Amino acid sequence: MTDRRFRGRTYETGPFEVTEESIRAYMRATGDEREEPDLVAPPTYAMVYGFDAYWQLWTDPEVALDTAHLVHGEQRFTFHRPVRPGDQLRTTGRIADISARASMEFVDFDLSSTDVQGHLVSEATALFVIRSPQ
Amino acid sequence: MMTGRATRFEEVQVGESLPPLHKTVSVEQIRRYAQASGDHNPIHLDQAFARSAGLPGVIAHGMLTMAFVNQMVTDWLGDRRTVRSLRGRFAGMVLPGDRVTCRGSVKAKDQSAGRLTLELSAENQRGEAVFTKGIADVEFHRAE
């Protein structure tokens, strides 16, 4: 059982430099390769530039989430502007809630990503579900 | 229900469907997605580990399914810049070999704001839901 005292804990990523190569690798991997005049990242690329915040949560030795039994339950994004090569984005993740119901545990994780000017680029909420191994 | 081929906001009708998007997921695609996203969780990559975690085998990242749903939306819009929000629930596992069909329809239209609310979902080849309660808010001004 994850300790509820970790509610409110935050994780900061270093600057993620968005490159054309990284956007194109994501487009190839997902099969979303339609060309547009203006190369912008597919909106769900937010998972890529924010990924280190998720990784820090999943590998935090104190919180010690049971990641072998963790599944992604829900995801929400709000996009404030398109992301392009050259963007440098920092993401802050925050454990918004930890709760339990029946044999399931739920972790709500809020994220916000900003550019070098400090302007919000996107926000997200992920809900993770941990199924009890019994 | 007619499938949306509207080219102007004025032509979009509430209730019309987006052209569905079909994707067959392979082990190779899951590996490529892990590489591109940085998410190397072994439940997506290591059969023995996935089975020991109580899964039938490796499963696709939920965010790969959401990327498919997102692509259906941006293919219809003809623009990756005008999705304002996207959400949904990962209702079922996607395994290698599964054929995922993404579906969407126009739920609401805000004339003055030039915005649409879309309802989105995805299912596997057996018709079982893998993505539910999907909602996107988008601006529609399709490029000619």
Side-chain angles (χ1 to χ4, degrees):
Chain A
M1 192 59 179
T2 308
D3 195 323
R4 294 185 191 189
R5 76 189 156 94
F6 294 117
R7 276 189 269 208
R9 178 170 283 210
T10 60
Y11 304 90
E12 308 278 335
T13 72
F16 181 100
E17 171 128 24
V18 178
T19 61
E20 174 169 352
E21 190 189 355
S22 162
I23 292 174
R24 291 207 181 274
Y26 180 85
M27 289 167 68
R28 273 195 305 277
T30 58
D32 178 7
E33 299 191 77
R34 187 178 46 81
E35 288 291 334
E36 289 183 8
D38 182 16
L39 179 72
V40 302
T44 44
Y45 179 84
M47 193 69 192
V48 179
Y49 60 75
F51 185 73
D52 187 55
Y54 296 90
W55 187 251
Q56 288 182 53
L57 167 70
W58 296 338
T59 59
D60 184 331
E62 291 179 354
V63 177
L65 293 180
D66 178 7
T67 50
H69 298 101
L70 175 145
V71 294
H72 200 164
E74 293 183 26
Q75 183 73 29
R76 300 173 199 163
F77 293 108
T78 304
F79 306 105
H80 298 284
R81 71 156 173 85
V83 165
R84 295 184 167 80
D87 275 327
Q88 288 197 29
L89 307 175
R90 287 178 187 271
T91 298
T92 301
R94 179 177 170 276
I95 300 176
D97 198 16
I98 298 169
S99 60
R101 200 162 62 236
S103 61
M104 314 263 260
E105 193 174 5
F106 301 89
V107 178
D108 285 15
F109 195 48
D110 287 345
L111 301 103
S112 66
S113 300
T114 52
D115 60 21
V116 285
Q117 284 85 33
H119 295 135
L120 258 185
V121 171
S122 71
E123 295 164 278
T125 297
L127 173 65
F128 297 109
V129 182
I130 300 163
R131 301 162 296 131
S132 168
Q134 295 74 289
Chain B
M1 190 66 64
M2 66 171 281
T3 295
R5 292 289 179 194
T7 55
R8 293 185 309 125
F9 181 73
E10 293 70 30
E11 296 168 359
V12 177
Q13 291 177 35
V14 172
E16 75 176 59
S17 300
L18 279 61
L21 181 71
H22 306 283
K23 296 273 190 174
T24 299
V25 177
S26 64
V27 165
E28 176 54 30
Q29 181 167 36
I30 297 170
R31 286 210 183 105
R32 260 187 286 135
Y33 181 82
Q35 207 68 44
S37 68
D39 185 347
H40 298 280
N41 186 324
I43 64 170
H44 305 302
L45 300 167
D46 181 336
Q47 293 288 2
F49 182 90
R51 292 200 183 100
S52 75
L55 298 169
V58 294
I59 62 170
H61 304 71
M63 283 305 301
L64 180 59
T65 301
M66 198 164 187
F68 298 158
V69 172
N70 174 77
Q71 184 191 338
M72 173 186 61
V73 171
T74 58
D75 280 356
W76 181 66
L77 294 171
D79 199 330
R80 295 190 178 92
R81 298 170 300 184
T82 59
V83 178
R84 297 298 172 221
S85 72
L86 177 66
R87 64 188 289 177
R89 193 169 162 258
F90 303 106
M93 292 183 281
V94 173
L95 305 176
D98 280 353
R99 185 169 189 262
V100 175
T101 298
C102 305
R103 301 185 190 280
S105 63
V106 178
K107 184 176 196 278
K109 181 175 179 179
D110 183 335
Q111 291 283 358
S112 56
R115 286 210 185 188
L116 304 173
T117 304
L118 309 178
E119 262 183 343
L120 309 165
S121 64
E123 68 206 33
N124 66 16
Q125 65 280 11
R126 291 179 296 277
E128 297 157 348
V130 295
F131 184 84
T132 58
K133 298 185 178 174
I135 297 280
D137 289 311
V138 302
E139 283 174 26
F140 186 98
H141 26 76
R142 191 170 225 291
E144 293 305 316

